[in-house]
Amino acid sequence: MARTDTSRNHLRLRNRKFAVGLLRGAAGALIFGIPMLMTMELWFLGFYMERERLLLLLVINIPMLVLIAHRIGFEPTFTWREAVRDAFIAYGLGIITSALVLGLLGVLSHDQSAPELLGKIALQAVPASLGAMLGRSQLGGRDDNEDEHQNDPATQELSTGYGGELFLMAVGALFLNLNIAPTEEIIAISFKMSFWHGLAAVLVSVMLMHGFVYAVAFRGAHSLTPEVPMWHALVRFTLPGYVVTSAISLYVLWTFGRLDDVTITQALMFMIVLNFPGAIGAAAARLIL
């Protein structure tokens, strides 16, 4: 009888933690997603962007959410099955939050066609679902189960392994790039910049990526032991991170049609401009995730 009561209490506690995680996820979807939910360019993109590119973005978001969920799910996840569950819950929260907010703002209306309604909600659900996962990381506390989860070898590999570091940088770059890439300012800024402006932007972006993680004493920042030279982290993490950020920038620009009918030089300038916030997002992800 005592064992049954203990099991019931354990189940209640687990369900309560999961419910709290859902609320934190919903709050994260709202907090991190509100800039995009109130961006006019994204409203229109959800209507007229190519459906193949939108579908590809939605599909890519699923494995990315699964990997993030394995590290910071709505509750500590010890199996990939639980991570997949949390990923789809985050996606669901992103869809619900996007639909409610867009409806509240009058962006969605009954006289719009189904493809327009679905396109707007689907596009906004991507950053909102990432926000749901980030909300669990940034708005929640820690307990013994989470410490045990962080000591799990699979989680350690995802969070501290080389591939895990690059993945976290990709997530951070994607999140900020989704905020900024749809805006016309990216195009306007790139045409105002000269070659020397572009070169300076690359150098400053790399310096910021490196400084955020290794030089500035932010909470969660990585530290180098005295015997490890500074160039080692620059070559091993920062420069590859900038390459990852560049790939994310090009993908996001292509997704939103920014690379259609432009020269290679123009495309590179668009990428360099978008890399500036993307690099900051990549560095921040290594600190907070």
Side-chain angles (χ1 to χ4, degrees):
M1 186 67 178
R3 181 177 298 180
T4 302
D5 292 338
T6 301
S7 299
R8 288 177 178 174
N9 291 334
H10 178 73
L11 181 60
R12 290 195 195 97
L13 180 60
R14 185 179 178 87
N15 290 337
R16 181 179 179 277
K17 288 182 177 179
F18 186 70
V20 171
L22 286 178
L23 293 175
R24 289 171 179 164
L30 185 60
I31 294 171
F32 291 99
I34 199 67
M36 285 155 282
L37 288 167
M38 299 187 71
T39 299
M40 185 179 298
E41 288 89 348
L42 275 171
W43 302 344
F44 293 125
L45 276 170
F47 171 61
Y48 67 75
M49 71 180 295
E50 293 184 12
R51 284 315 185 240
E52 294 81 4
R53 301 186 188 188
L54 175 59
L55 178 61
L56 180 60
L57 178 63
L58 298 178
V59 171
I60 289 175
N61 193 42
I62 294 175
M64 183 170 59
L65 287 175
V66 171
L67 291 172
I68 299 174
H70 194 60
R71 173 164 168 74
I72 53 169
F74 294 108
E75 60 181 358
T77 56
F78 294 96
T79 67
W80 287 106
R81 181 178 180 179
E82 293 175 340
V84 170
R85 176 206 61 189
D86 280 3
F88 279 97
I89 290 174
Y91 227 148
L93 288 174
I95 293 171
I96 294 171
T97 301
S98 299
L100 291 176
V101 173
L102 291 177
L104 177 66
L105 298 177
V107 179
L108 304 180
S109 61
H110 65 279
D111 59 340
Q112 295 173 346
S113 64
E116 181 178 358
L117 292 172
L118 293 176
K120 290 179 178 180
I121 295 173
L123 180 57
Q124 297 282 1
V126 175
S129 63
L130 290 174
M133 284 297 184
L134 293 175
R136 167 58 169 76
S137 174
Q138 297 305 297
L139 304 179
R142 296 179 60 87
D143 55 29
D144 294 337
N145 288 334
E146 292 184 71
D147 292 334
E148 181 183 351
H149 174 58
Q150 293 301 320
N151 291 327
D152 180 70
T155 302
Q156 287 183 337
E157 177 62 26
L158 177 60
S159 59
T160 61
Y162 187 66
E165 293 277 359
L166 296 181
F167 169 72
L168 292 180
M169 286 190 276
V171 171
L174 177 64
F175 185 78
L176 275 191
N177 283 357
L178 287 173
N179 277 271
I180 300 171
T183 64
E184 294 297 330
E185 284 76 9
I186 293 293
I187 310 300
I189 291 171
S190 65
F191 281 112
K192 288 179 177 292
M193 295 173 65
S194 66
F195 168 81
W196 297 109
H197 286 111
L199 180 60
V202 172
L203 295 176
V204 170
S205 297
V206 172
M207 290 172 59
L208 286 173
M209 287 187 70
H210 195 73
F212 270 37
V213 180
Y214 294 104
V216 183
F218 286 129
R219 179 178 63 86
H222 296 241
S223 59
L224 297 174
T225 57
E227 61 271 14
V228 177
M230 286 291 294
W231 62 262
H232 180 271
L234 178 68
V235 173
R236 180 170 170 78
F237 290 105
T238 305
L239 293 181
Y242 189 79
V243 173
V244 169
T245 300
S246 299
I248 294 295
S249 295
L250 288 174
Y251 168 69
V252 173
L253 288 167
W254 172 81
T255 298
F256 293 147
R258 297 301 192 186
L259 301 183
D260 296 347
D261 302 321
V262 300
T263 65
I264 294 179
T265 302
Q266 289 173 327
L268 288 176
M269 288 301 296
F270 295 168
M271 180 197 75
I272 289 172
V273 173
L274 192 57
N275 275 357
F276 182 68
I280 296 175
R286 295 185 66 195
L287 300 178
I288 66 178
L289 293 181

PDB file of all heavy atoms in Angstrom, residues 200-215:
ATOM      1  N   ALA A 200      34.855  44.766 -42.910  1.00  0.00           N
ATOM      2  CA  ALA A 200      34.821  45.144 -41.490  1.00  0.00           C
ATOM      3  C   ALA A 200      33.702  44.418 -40.765  1.00  0.00           C
ATOM      4  O   ALA A 200      33.869  43.991 -39.607  1.00  0.00           O
ATOM      5  CB  ALA A 200      34.649  46.658 -41.364  1.00  0.00           C
ATOM      6  N   ALA A 201      32.561  44.242 -41.417  1.00  0.00           N
ATOM      7  CA  ALA A 201      31.435  43.535 -40.790  1.00  0.00           C
ATOM      8  C   ALA A 201      31.795  42.086 -40.493  1.00  0.00           C
ATOM      9  O   ALA A 201      31.430  41.541 -39.441  1.00  0.00           O
ATOM     10  CB  ALA A 201      30.203  43.598 -41.692  1.00  0.00           C
ATOM     11  N   VAL A 202      32.534  41.453 -41.406  1.00  0.00           N
ATOM     12  CA  VAL A 202      32.969  40.067 -41.176  1.00  0.00           C
ATOM     13  C   VAL A 202      33.892  39.998 -39.965  1.00  0.00           C
ATOM     14  O   VAL A 202      33.715  39.156 -39.076  1.00  0.00           O
ATOM     15  CB  VAL A 202      33.681  39.509 -42.427  1.00  0.00           C
ATOM     16  CG1 VAL A 202      34.305  38.143 -42.113  1.00  0.00           C
ATOM     17  CG2 VAL A 202      32.706  39.385 -43.584  1.00  0.00           C
ATOM     18  N   LEU A 203      34.869  40.893 -39.905  1.00  0.00           N
ATOM     19  CA  LEU A 203      35.831  40.893 -38.794  1.00  0.00           C
ATOM     20  C   LEU A 203      35.143  41.171 -37.460  1.00  0.00           C
ATOM     21  O   LEU A 203      35.421  40.507 -36.455  1.00  0.00           O
ATOM     22  CB  LEU A 203      36.934  41.920 -39.058  1.00  0.00           C
ATOM     23  CG  LEU A 203      37.846  41.633 -40.257  1.00  0.00           C
ATOM     24  CD1 LEU A 203      38.824  42.785 -40.467  1.00  0.00           C
ATOM     25  CD2 LEU A 203      38.593  40.318 -40.064  1.00  0.00           C
ATOM     26  N   VAL A 204      34.237  42.139 -37.451  1.00  0.00           N
ATOM     27  CA  VAL A 204      33.539  42.473 -36.208  1.00  0.00           C
ATOM     28  C   VAL A 204      32.644  41.325 -35.772  1.00  0.00           C
ATOM     29  O   VAL A 204      32.557  41.004 -34.577  1.00  0.00           O
ATOM     30  CB  VAL A 204      32.718  43.767 -36.383  1.00  0.00           C
ATOM     31  CG1 VAL A 204      31.800  43.996 -35.188  1.00  0.00           C
ATOM     32  CG2 VAL A 204      33.645  44.963 -36.571  1.00  0.00           C
ATOM     33  N   SER A 205      31.990  40.659 -36.719  1.00  0.00           N
ATOM     34  CA  SER A 205      31.123  39.529 -36.382  1.00  0.00           C
ATOM     35  C   SER A 205      31.925  38.403 -35.741  1.00  0.00           C
ATOM     36  O   SER A 205      31.510  37.816 -34.733  1.00  0.00           O
ATOM     37  CB  SER A 205      30.411  39.016 -37.638  1.00  0.00           C
ATOM     38  OG  SER A 205      29.562  40.001 -38.189  1.00  0.00           O
ATOM     39  N   VAL A 206      33.100  38.109 -36.304  1.00  0.00           N
ATOM     40  CA  VAL A 206      33.956  37.058 -35.743  1.00  0.00           C
ATOM     41  C   VAL A 206      34.452  37.462 -34.363  1.00  0.00           C
ATOM     42  O   VAL A 206      34.466  36.647 -33.429  1.00  0.00           O
ATOM     43  CB  VAL A 206      35.138  36.769 -36.688  1.00  0.00           C
ATOM     44  CG1 VAL A 206      36.139  35.828 -36.026  1.00  0.00           C
ATOM     45  CG2 VAL A 206      34.638  36.166 -37.995  1.00  0.00           C
ATOM     46  N   MET A 207      34.841  38.724 -34.204  1.00  0.00           N
ATOM     47  CA  MET A 207      35.309  39.202 -32.904  1.00  0.00           C
ATOM     48  C   MET A 207      34.210  39.100 -31.855  1.00  0.00           C
ATOM     49  O   MET A 207      34.462  38.715 -30.709  1.00  0.00           O
ATOM     50  CB  MET A 207      35.811  40.642 -33.027  1.00  0.00           C
ATOM     51  CG  MET A 207      37.107  40.799 -33.796  1.00  0.00           C
ATOM     52  SD  MET A 207      37.510  42.542 -34.107  1.00  0.00           S
ATOM     53  CE  MET A 207      37.581  43.174 -32.423  1.00  0.00           C
ATOM     54  N   LEU A 208      32.982  39.450 -32.233  1.00  0.00           N
ATOM     55  CA  LEU A 208      31.867  39.366 -31.288  1.00  0.00           C
ATOM     56  C   LEU A 208      31.586  37.924 -30.891  1.00  0.00           C
ATOM     57  O   LEU A 208      31.350  37.620 -29.718  1.00  0.00           O
ATOM     58  CB  LEU A 208      30.615  39.997 -31.896  1.00  0.00           C
ATOM     59  CG  LEU A 208      30.592  41.523 -31.986  1.00  0.00           C
ATOM     60  CD1 LEU A 208      29.369  41.994 -32.761  1.00  0.00           C
ATOM     61  CD2 LEU A 208      30.609  42.140 -30.598  1.00  0.00           C
ATOM     62  N   MET A 209      31.614  37.018 -31.879  1.00  0.00           N
ATOM     63  CA  MET A 209      31.384  35.609 -31.571  1.00  0.00           C
ATOM     64  C   MET A 209      32.411  35.098 -30.575  1.00  0.00           C
ATOM     65  O   MET A 209      32.081  34.407 -29.610  1.00  0.00           O
ATOM     66  CB  MET A 209      31.457  34.763 -32.847  1.00  0.00           C
ATOM     67  CG  MET A 209      30.290  34.889 -33.778  1.00  0.00           C
ATOM     68  SD  MET A 209      30.382  33.698 -35.139  1.00  0.00           S
ATOM     69  CE  MET A 209      30.061  32.164 -34.269  1.00  0.00           C
ATOM     70  N   HIS A 210      33.666  35.445 -30.812  1.00  0.00           N
ATOM     71  CA  HIS A 210      34.741  34.966 -29.946  1.00  0.00           C
ATOM     72  C   HIS A 210      34.692  35.653 -28.583  1.00  0.00           C
ATOM     73  O   HIS A 210      34.848  35.012 -27.543  1.00  0.00           O
ATOM     74  CB  HIS A 210      36.091  35.213 -30.614  1.00  0.00           C
ATOM     75  CG  HIS A 210      37.207  34.449 -29.983  1.00  0.00           C
ATOM     76  ND1 HIS A 210      37.360  33.089 -30.126  1.00  0.00           N
ATOM     77  CD2 HIS A 210      38.235  34.858 -29.196  1.00  0.00           C
ATOM     78  CE1 HIS A 210      38.422  32.689 -29.462  1.00  0.00           C
ATOM     79  NE2 HIS A 210      38.984  33.741 -28.885  1.00  0.00           N
ATOM     80  N   GLY A 211      34.464  36.952 -28.596  1.00  0.00           N
ATOM     81  CA  GLY A 211      34.471  37.711 -27.351  1.00  0.00           C
ATOM     82  C   GLY A 211      33.340  37.336 -26.425  1.00  0.00           C
ATOM     83  O   GLY A 211      33.526  37.232 -25.211  1.00  0.00           O
ATOM     84  N   PHE A 212      32.146  37.100 -26.984  1.00  0.00           N
ATOM     85  CA  PHE A 212      30.994  36.744 -26.160  1.00  0.00           C
ATOM     86  C   PHE A 212      31.250  35.468 -25.380  1.00  0.00           C
ATOM     87  O   PHE A 212      30.838  35.326 -24.231  1.00  0.00           O
ATOM     88  CB  PHE A 212      29.759  36.551 -27.047  1.00  0.00           C
ATOM     89  CG  PHE A 212      28.965  37.808 -27.250  1.00  0.00           C
ATOM     90  CD1 PHE A 212      29.586  39.038 -27.380  1.00  0.00           C
ATOM     91  CD2 PHE A 212      27.591  37.757 -27.330  1.00  0.00           C
ATOM     92  CE1 PHE A 212      28.857  40.188 -27.576  1.00  0.00           C
ATOM     93  CE2 PHE A 212      26.841  38.914 -27.532  1.00  0.00           C
ATOM     94  CZ  PHE A 212      27.486  40.134 -27.645  1.00  0.00           C
ATOM     95  N   VAL A 213      31.909  34.512 -26.018  1.00  0.00           N
ATOM     96  CA  VAL A 213      32.051  33.188 -25.423  1.00  0.00           C
ATOM     97  C   VAL A 213      33.306  33.058 -24.569  1.00  0.00           C
ATOM     98  O   VAL A 213      33.284  32.428 -23.516  1.00  0.00           O
ATOM     99  CB  VAL A 213      32.043  32.102 -26.526  1.00  0.00           C
ATOM    100  CG1 VAL A 213      32.200  30.709 -25.925  1.00  0.00           C
ATOM    101  CG2 VAL A 213      30.755  32.179 -27.338  1.00  0.00           C
ATOM    102  N   TYR A 214      34.404  33.686 -25.008  1.00  0.00           N
ATOM    103  CA  TYR A 214      35.679  33.430 -24.340  1.00  0.00           C
ATOM    104  C   TYR A 214      36.273  34.636 -23.620  1.00  0.00           C
ATOM    105  O   TYR A 214      36.948  34.474 -22.616  1.00  0.00           O
ATOM    106  CB  TYR A 214      36.704  32.914 -25.354  1.00  0.00           C
ATOM    107  CG  TYR A 214      36.354  31.569 -25.904  1.00  0.00           C
ATOM    108  CD1 TYR A 214      35.831  31.436 -27.178  1.00  0.00           C
ATOM    109  CD2 TYR A 214      36.529  30.423 -25.146  1.00  0.00           C
ATOM    110  CE1 TYR A 214      35.503  30.188 -27.696  1.00  0.00           C
ATOM    111  CE2 TYR A 214      36.197  29.173 -25.641  1.00  0.00           C
ATOM    112  CZ  TYR A 214      35.686  29.066 -26.928  1.00  0.00           C
ATOM    113  OH  TYR A 214      35.357  27.834 -27.419  1.00  0.00           O
ATOM    114  N   ALA A 215      36.048  35.837 -24.125  1.00  0.00           N
ATOM    115  CA  ALA A 215      36.748  36.992 -23.571  1.00  0.00           C
ATOM    116  C   ALA A 215      35.938  37.729 -22.516  1.00  0.00           C
ATOM    117  O   ALA A 215      36.484  38.205 -21.527  1.00  0.00           O
ATOM    118  CB  ALA A 215      37.139  37.961 -24.695  1.00  0.00           C
TER     119      ALA A 215
END
